[in-house]
Every structure is written in C-alpha cells, then in structure tokens.
Amino acid sequence: MATTTLTKAARNRQRHGLTFNPVRPAWKEPASPLYSSIKAVILGLISLSIIIPILLVVSTSLADDKQLVAAGGYVLWPTNPTFDSYKAIFSGQFMIRALGVSAFITAVGTFLALFVTVTMAYATSRPVLLGRPVLMMVLFTLLFAPGLIPMFLMVKQLGLLNTIWSLILPGTFGAFNFVVMRSFFMNIPTELIEAARIDGASDFMILRKIVLPLSKAVIAVVGLFYAVGFWNAFFNAMLYINDQTLYPVQLILRNFVVQGGSMAEQIGVTSTPPPQSMQMAVVVIALLPILIVYPFIQKHFNKGVITGAIKG
C-alpha cells in the first residue's frame, strides 16, 4: 500500500515537472519554474521598494536647484550632479563635531552594553550563579517600561543632564538582546563548562576562554543591534541635552527636517543650497556609516539569531 501511494506521489510530481528523490525530503527538492518565477517577481518588487527610496535620497542630495524645481522637489536621477550641499554642511565644524559625538556614543555605548549583556546573560544561564530571580526582573522590564518622566528624573538625580553620558548609560542594557544572548549561552554544551570547572577554571575564565569564542556570531548580531540603536537615537538628546556642541548627528537630521533653513543658519552654513538637497544630504551622511558596517556583520544574522532562538 505504501509503495502504491509512493508511486502515485511520484507520478504526480512528474506530471508537474518535479523529480522525486526518496532520499531527500520534499522541501529540499527543486521548485517548479512557475514557483521560481513568482518568487523572483516578489523579491524583485521588494528590492525595488528598498532601492528606489535610497536612490531618491542620494539623487536629490546631488541635484542642483534647477532640476529640483523642474522635478517638483525630488529627483530620481541627477543630470548635473553637484556636491554643493555636502560642501555647505561640512563648511563649519558643527557637523564634524556631531559625527564625532555620534561615533563616541556608538562605540562606548556598544562596548558597555555588550559587557553588561554578556555578563548578565552568562550569569543567568548557569543555575549555580544568579538564577531565576534576576531573570524574572529583567523580563519584567519587557512588559512594564519605566516611562518618560521617571527616566528624566533619574537622569537628573544622577547629575547626567547636559552630559554625553546621558545619551549612553540609559541604553546600556536591552532586555530583548539579553534574552537572545542568554538563549545562545544555554545551548553551549554543559560538558565543556563542567570540564573547565573541574580543571579549576573560574567563571570569568570560562566566559573568556570558552563561552565568548563560541559566541562570536550572536555577539556580532547583538552588537549591531546596540550600535544601530545608539547611532539612530535622537530623542534622549532632545530631552537631556541643551548644549549644541553635544548634539548627535541624528538630532541635527531631525532639526533639519523640522526647521529647514533656520537650522542651516544655526550650524553656520555660508552658502544656501536647496533645502530639499540639504535635508537629503544629511540623511545620506547619517545612513552611510551603518550601510558600510552592516554587510560585514549581516552574514552572522542567521547563525546568531536562529541558533540563539532555537534550543537543542
């Protein structure tokens, strides 16, 4: 009976242009031409929906005044590309200083956040250390956020207002990243850790010599999550920073979009390129560092996130 059923299934696959291989599972067999064509069209449309807005931003930042007026404000392909907007933005020291502030916040914040997340994830993944109470407190923060006013009062009481540390310390721990990293650590074979402990290794040595080398993928993924969060953050700067010399680049981008020409005067722009071109140039400057770093870490996403999310 099983042979008859199998023969019918193989006959149906041959009728639809599919070959049956009893050794390979069904989901690993080659897809039909129709299915491949539909998938290619869908992926092509998704890619265009991502590429076209980026191309629109870059092209508008390079377009001159005449082409912007003729196109109604946004250009898909500049006929006479010019870098006047970029030259105007970097004519003063304001944007360079903002890039330095954002780079410092991202580098220091990502390092501190990874240190706190790795140590807490390892401690709660081992029953002999902190255990369930700390884990429940961390998961509690996923359900109940502290709120805007308590966070502002805490930063004020700590004396962090109008300092660069007010943009770093509140974001040094993320409960979601903690859960991902803890799940990854729990999948590390306990035999390795027990053998190292029998040999006299301390928990810090086990973390440094065994756990961290086996966790490069998830550390890269979580580190990118933290880095993107620190780089893109501007709301904390609006709340805690009054000194314009401490503005990150994302806050300048927000002010450019909201204030337009008045913001250009505040940062000391001498020439007056079109406002749309200036706004898009700031967007490109804000996006470029992440676009450069992301391709080098993207290959770790599947291994890091999937392995950390699936037990066994």
Side-chain angles (χ1 to χ4, degrees):
M1 184 66 182
T3 305
T4 305
T5 305
L6 188 62
T7 304
K8 290 181 179 179
R11 192 180 301 115
N12 291 332
R13 291 177 179 277
Q14 291 177 357
R15 186 182 302 118
H16 292 286
L18 298 175
T19 58
F20 179 76
N21 188 348
V23 179
R24 299 170 57 189
W27 58 85
K28 288 187 177 180
E29 294 184 11
S32 64
L34 178 61
Y35 177 78
S36 299
S37 301
I38 294 174
K39 185 168 65 174
V41 171
I42 294 175
L43 291 177
L45 292 176
I46 295 175
S47 300
L48 288 177
S49 67
I50 298 173
I51 294 173
I52 290 178
I54 296 177
L55 179 62
L56 185 68
V57 169
V58 177
S59 299
T60 305
S61 69
L62 297 175
D64 56 10
D65 197 1
K66 294 181 180 179
Q67 191 174 5
L68 285 172
V69 173
Y74 296 98
V75 176
L76 188 60
W77 189 261
T79 55
N80 297 313
T82 176
F83 291 92
D84 291 342
S85 297
Y86 295 93
K87 294 177 182 178
I89 291 173
F90 287 104
S91 60
Q93 297 296 321
F94 199 89
M95 180 58 71
I96 299 176
R97 188 186 304 113
L99 288 172
V101 170
S102 293
F104 179 83
I105 293 171
T106 303
V108 176
T110 302
F111 174 80
L112 293 177
L114 280 176
F115 177 80
V116 174
T117 304
V118 167
T119 52
M120 286 196 64
Y122 174 73
T124 54
S125 66
R126 302 300 149 192
V128 296
L129 295 177
L130 294 180
R132 188 173 297 272
V134 174
L135 175 62
M136 296 305 297
M137 287 190 294
V138 171
L139 295 180
F140 184 81
T141 62
L142 284 174
L143 301 177
F144 302 97
L148 206 61
I149 296 177
M151 282 293 296
F152 181 84
L153 293 177
M154 183 186 69
V155 172
K156 181 179 179 181
Q157 291 297 324
L158 293 175
L160 299 177
L161 285 180
N162 212 32
T163 65
I164 199 170
W165 296 107
S166 64
L167 308 179
I168 297 176
L169 296 181
T172 51
F173 183 77
F176 173 79
N177 296 329
F178 162 80
V179 171
V180 172
M181 191 164 290
R182 179 180 179 272
S183 300
F184 191 95
F185 288 167
M186 293 182 68
N187 287 329
I188 295 177
T190 56
E191 291 81 5
L192 293 175
I193 298 176
E194 291 174 357
R197 189 170 281 117
I198 291 174
D199 290 338
S202 62
D203 286 306
F204 285 103
M205 185 175 294
I206 293 173
L207 176 63
R208 184 168 58 91
K209 296 289 187 179
I210 298 176
V211 176
L212 291 183
L214 296 175
S215 308
K216 292 180 180 179
V218 72
I219 291 175
V221 171
V222 173
L224 183 62
F225 287 164
Y226 277 124
V228 171
F230 279 112
W231 181 266
N232 289 333
F234 72 92
F235 192 68
N236 284 350
M238 292 176 57
L239 294 177
Y240 308 138
I241 301 297
N242 293 323
D243 187 1
Q244 291 189 356
T245 59
L246 297 178
Y247 278 6
V249 67
Q250 298 295 340
L251 183 57
I252 295 179
L253 171 60
R254 180 259 176 195
N255 292 341
F256 256 108
V257 174
V258 174
Q259 302 176 16
S262 61
M263 184 61 194
E265 296 176 0
Q266 293 179 22
I267 67 174
V269 174
T270 55
S271 58
T272 56
Q276 296 93 340
S277 179
M278 291 277 291
Q279 292 173 359
M280 296 302 105
V282 177
V283 172
V284 173
I285 294 171
L287 286 177
L288 194 59
I290 297 299
L291 292 177
I292 293 175
V293 173
Y294 180 79
F296 298 98
I297 305 179
Q298 187 270 342
K299 62 182 180 180
H300 297 291
F301 265 75
N302 290 339
K303 182 179 178 181
V305 176
I306 294 177
T307 307
I310 299 177
K311 186 175 180 60

